[in-house]
Structures are given as structure tokens and as C-alpha cells.
């Protein structure tokens, strides 16, 4: 049986989430009403996965999470509201060690909480499979120091020498921070990222990355030129494509393609780049995440002469997306996340 501890101060939320999980038949559910209650229960029930609310009395979710990571390290999925305040707290949780998050639809007390059932169950099963490896090999990422970073002005040119594309999902924010903060201010290619994430989260995520990266980081909330010196984060709840406009390469945010399962779609992003650039000028990176988004398009890129990197199992929170690329024969190299930035620099500088 898979053991899950649900931590939420709302009795109604605990009831609904418990019912959703127990319907699976192979999930044993325990509940806690606040962070302190959770810490008291963890040694007794030894859950494989914990779902954790943020706003709770007695002990809030972030304080509880810091104790879990220190005393009882295991996969924690944050369940938070979709407000901007909730998004900020969620990213603090990811920095503290949470592996993923699921937005509560409709606010803190969500009467439509059952809408997240498929996503919640899929993520719980995915991170539970990685518990043993994750506990032993978890990368402790320190919260970036509040320092002033002098950034080079993006080089505005009529064309770009190439493009780095990065796709990721579950566990992606931490992996992206690990890579993007290592890129120097004179990195010679623009970077475009498709991270599966809601729209309210991508805006906050881009702003947080901009504080710690040496390159400028912006969300693609309108057509933006691809230019050296910038990292662009695809807007959540939408897709992103590379287009040609007036002789320049531009990242364009578009309505979600309903035929695709994940958004922003990595496959759609990579395929659009192949229409605008020589494959040999594209580098694609497949990071942690569930499913196979990006694997087919990156394999095609690899076949056409582009270069591809898959994150290795040793650091991937969920090995699904990188494994799909590797098994299709589409990865030039397989690297742990902390070595990917060095490879990008080696290939381009």
C-alpha cells in the first residue's frame, strides 16, 4: 500500500482529498490538521508522500516543511491557492525542498477540489516511486543570497546565432534554478523554457529567477524577440512557439492546443523552432517531469543534427520525460542537473 499523509487545516479539504485518494484502492491515507500535528504523526505512520497546505494555524506549511526536510526527508507536494501570494509561498516551499505543487482551484476552501484528482494522484504516484532515491540523492539547493547582480544588456540583433530550448515539469523549478543561475552574463544564445505550470505561477517564477540569474529573465506574456542575454519563460495555461517576424525570431504565446496533454507544450515549442532555425543551431534540454512531452520532438531534432541533453535519473525528481527521450535514442548526452550548465557553456562558448 502507498501511504500518504494529507495536511490541511480544513476538515472539509481533508475529507475530500482523503476520499479521492482512497478511491484508488491501494492508497492508505492519514490526515493532520496543522504542521505540528503532521510532525507528530510522521514518525508513527511513515508516509511515502505528504501533501501540505501552506496557510494553517499552530504551525504553517513552510515551517512544517523545513522541519520535514531536516528531520524526516521525503517527497512533499504543496497544495496551495492560485493567488499571487500563494504562488510566492509555493516557490519558497520549492526552495525549501518540496518536490512539486498543485494549485487549489477556487481558493483555500475549494468546493471544486475534486477537479485536481487526476493530477494529484498522478503526481503522488510519480514522486512515491522516487522516494528512496530522492531521500539519498536529494540535492540541497541553498536559497539564493540577496545580492545585486550586474546584468549585461541583451544584445539586440536582427538574428540570433542559435537557441537553447528547455522542457520540464514535476521538479522543474529547482532544476531550472540549478542550471540557469550558472549561465554567465555573456552566454551567447537566448534561452526559451517550457515549464508545465499555471499562468499565475510563471509570472512569479520569472521574477524570482530574474533576481538570482546573471541573464535577464522574462515571462512570454506577449510576443517577445529572442535575443542574446535573455531567458524567456513560457506563460502558463498557454503554449509558446518560435516564429519569424520582420526578419527576427520571436517567442509568441498562443492559446493551448487542446489536442496536447501538457502545457506549455515542450513538443510544440521544439517543433516550431525547427521551422525557424537550422537544427544544428538548436540545443534542447529535457529535464525532470512526468509523461513524455518533448521526447518526440527532441528526438527529431537529434536526428536532424541538433544537440540534446537529458537529465540523468540520479537527479531527476521524476525520470519520466528524460527517460522517454533516452529510450527513443534522442539524447546526445545524459547528465546530472548540476553538470548541464557546464555542458551548455562548453558547447556554445
Amino acid at each position: 500500500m502507498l501511504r500518504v499523509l494529507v495536511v490541511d487545516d480544513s476538515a472539509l479539504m481533508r475529507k475530500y482529498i482523503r476520499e479521492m485518494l482512497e478511491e484508488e484502492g491501494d492508497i492508505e491515507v492519514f490526515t493532520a490538521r496543522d504542521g505540528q500535528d503532521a510532525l507528530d504523526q510522521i514518525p508513527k505512520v511513515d508516509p511515502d508522500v505528504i501533501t501540505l497546505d501552506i496557510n494553517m494555524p499552530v504551525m504553517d506549511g513552510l515551517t512544517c516543511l523545513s522541519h520535514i526536510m531536516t528531520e524526516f526527508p521525503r517527497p512533499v507536494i504543496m497544495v496551495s491557492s492560485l493567488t499571487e501570494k500563494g504562488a510566492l509561498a509555493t516557490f519558497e516551499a520549492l526552495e525549501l525542498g518540496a518536490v512539486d505543487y498543485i494549485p487549489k482551484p477556487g481558493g483555500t476552501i475549494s468546493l471544486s477540489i475534486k477537479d485536481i484528482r487526476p493530477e494529484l494522484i498522478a503526481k503522488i504516484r510519480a514522486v512515491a516511486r522516487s522516494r528512496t532515491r530522492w531521500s539519498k540523492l536529494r540535492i540541497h539547493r541553498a536559497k539564493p543570497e540577496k545580492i545585486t547582480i550586474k546584468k549585461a544588456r541583451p544584445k539586440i540583433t536582427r538574428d540570433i546565432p542559435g537557441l537553447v530550448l528547455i522542457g520540464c515539469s514535476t521538479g522543474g523549478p529547482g532544476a531550472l534554478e540549478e542550471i540557469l543561475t550558472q549561465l554567465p552574463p555573456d552566454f551567447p544564445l537566448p534561452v526559451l523554457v517550457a515549464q508545465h505550470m499555471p499562468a499565475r505561477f510563471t509570472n512569479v517564477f520569472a521574477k524570482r529567477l530574474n533576481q538570482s540569474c546573471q541573464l535577464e529573465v522574462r515571462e512570454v506574456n506577449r510576443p517577445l524577440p529572442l535575443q542574446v542575454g535573455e531567458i524567456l519563460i513560457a506563460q502558463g495555461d498557454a503554449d509558446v512557439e518560435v516564429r519569424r517576424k520582420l526578419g527576427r525570431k520571436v517567442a509568441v504565446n498562443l492559446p493551448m492546443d487542446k489536442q496536447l496533454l501538457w502545457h506549455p507544450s515542450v513538443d510544440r515549442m521544439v517543433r516550431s523552432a525547427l521551422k525557424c532555425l537550422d537544427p544544428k543551431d538548436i540545443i534542447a534540454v529535457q529535464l525532470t517531469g512526468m509523461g513524455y512531452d518533448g521526447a518526440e520532438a527532441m528526438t527529431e531534432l537529434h536526428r536532424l543534427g541538433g544537440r540534446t541533453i537529458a537529465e540523468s535519473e540520479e537527479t531527476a525528481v521524476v525520470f519520466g520525460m528524460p527517460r522517454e527521450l533516452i529510450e527513443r535514442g534522442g539524447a546526445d548526452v545524459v547528465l546530472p542537473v548540476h553538470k548541464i550548465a557546464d555542458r551548455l557553456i562548453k558547447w556554445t562558448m
Side-chain angles (χ1 to χ4, degrees):
M1 293 283 283
L2 177 58
R3 300 162 72 86
V4 177
L5 177 63
V6 175
V7 188
D8 199 301
D9 65 317
S10 165
L12 183 62
M13 293 298 95
R14 294 196 301 270
K15 176 178 180 292
Y16 281 169
I17 295 174
R18 179 174 203 146
E19 289 175 350
M20 285 191 290
L21 300 181
E22 288 183 338
E23 286 174 4
E24 290 292 290
D26 64 341
I27 299 179
E28 186 176 10
V29 182
F30 305 87
T31 61
R33 62 184 178 275
D34 55 55
Q36 185 58 59
D37 188 20
L39 294 179
D40 292 340
Q41 290 199 50
I42 292 171
K44 302 172 185 175
V45 304
D46 190 27
D48 297 295
V49 181
I50 299 170
T51 71
L52 184 61
D53 191 14
I54 291 177
N55 299 311
M56 297 181 292
V58 184
M59 182 186 288
D60 65 88
L62 293 180
T63 304
C64 177
L65 177 64
S66 66
H67 284 288
I68 292 172
M69 291 300 109
T70 302
E71 302 167 33
F72 318 105
R74 66 202 60 220
V76 175
I77 298 173
M78 306 306 294
V79 181
S80 65
S81 63
L82 269 173
T83 64
E84 184 167 342
K85 183 178 179 182
L88 283 167
T90 298
F91 282 109
E92 289 181 25
L94 293 172
E95 289 172 355
L96 285 170
V99 297
D100 207 357
Y101 59 88
I102 296 180
K104 273 185 183 175
T108 303
I109 306 298
S110 174
L111 298 179
S112 55
I113 191 71
K114 292 193 176 182
D115 290 349
I116 69 170
R117 182 179 184 275
E119 182 182 10
L120 178 62
I121 290 170
K123 288 189 174 182
I124 285 174
R125 292 191 183 281
V127 300
R129 284 192 290 269
S130 68
R131 177 185 170 182
T132 302
R133 174 175 50 81
W134 179 87
S135 297
K136 292 179 180 178
L137 302 173
R138 181 167 58 96
I139 296 174
H140 298 270
R141 299 185 177 96
K143 194 171 182 178
E145 295 181 18
K146 297 297 181 182
I147 58 176
T148 301
I149 297 174
K150 292 184 178 180
K151 303 186 187 228
R153 280 184 168 273
K155 296 178 183 177
I156 301 174
T157 60
R158 295 302 295 173
D159 208 350
I160 53 174
L163 179 62
V164 174
L165 302 171
I166 304 179
C168 47
S169 185
T170 304
L176 286 169
E177 184 177 20
E178 181 86 9
I179 296 165
L180 299 179
T181 55
Q182 294 183 58
L183 298 181
D186 58 346
F187 188 72
L189 300 182
V191 180
L192 181 59
V193 177
Q195 156 75 55
H196 300 162
M197 188 178 282
R200 287 182 184 268
F201 280 56
T202 48
N203 180 41
V204 173
F205 185 42
K207 289 178 179 177
R208 290 181 74 85
L209 280 175
N210 192 51
Q211 293 173 0
S212 54
C213 288
Q214 299 177 81
L215 300 169
E216 290 288 340
V217 184
R218 292 198 284 169
E219 180 196 45
V220 185
N221 54 17
R222 63 188 184 281
L224 293 175
L226 288 162
Q227 50 197 30
V228 174
E230 282 196 344
I231 299 164
L232 299 183
I233 308 294
Q235 187 177 47
D237 298 326
D239 285 335
V240 67
E241 286 193 358
V242 178
R243 299 276 184 89
R244 291 192 191 93
K245 286 196 173 184
L246 301 176
R248 299 186 64 186
K249 310 296 189 308
V250 178
V252 180
N253 59 323
L254 298 165
M256 293 185 292
D257 183 340
K258 297 295 179 64
Q259 295 183 333
L260 301 173
L261 294 176
W262 300 282
H263 305 280
S265 168
V266 183
D267 261 320
R268 188 174 182 183
M269 174 183 70
V270 175
R271 291 189 189 286
S272 69
L274 280 170
K275 295 177 182 177
C276 297
L277 289 93
D278 187 320
K280 296 181 178 60
D281 295 330
I282 300 173
I283 300 173
V285 183
Q286 187 81 313
L287 299 178
T288 172
M290 297 186 299
Y292 53 85
D293 187 23
E296 186 176 325
M298 288 190 191
T299 300
E300 178 69 5
L301 170 65
H302 169 77
R303 188 184 68 80
L304 294 172
R307 288 170 289 183
T308 56
I309 301 172
E311 182 180 357
S312 64
E313 186 174 8
E314 67 181 281
T315 61
V317 173
V318 178
F319 192 47
M321 286 168 59
R323 181 181 60 224
E324 287 286 341
L325 179 61
I326 295 165
E327 290 182 349
R328 293 168 193 239
D332 282 294
V333 293
V334 180
L335 297 171
V337 70
H338 50 276
K339 293 186 177 180
I340 291 176
D342 285 343
R343 180 55 60 99
L344 292 174
I345 294 167
K346 180 180 178 181
W347 277 351
T348 60
M349 298 184 72

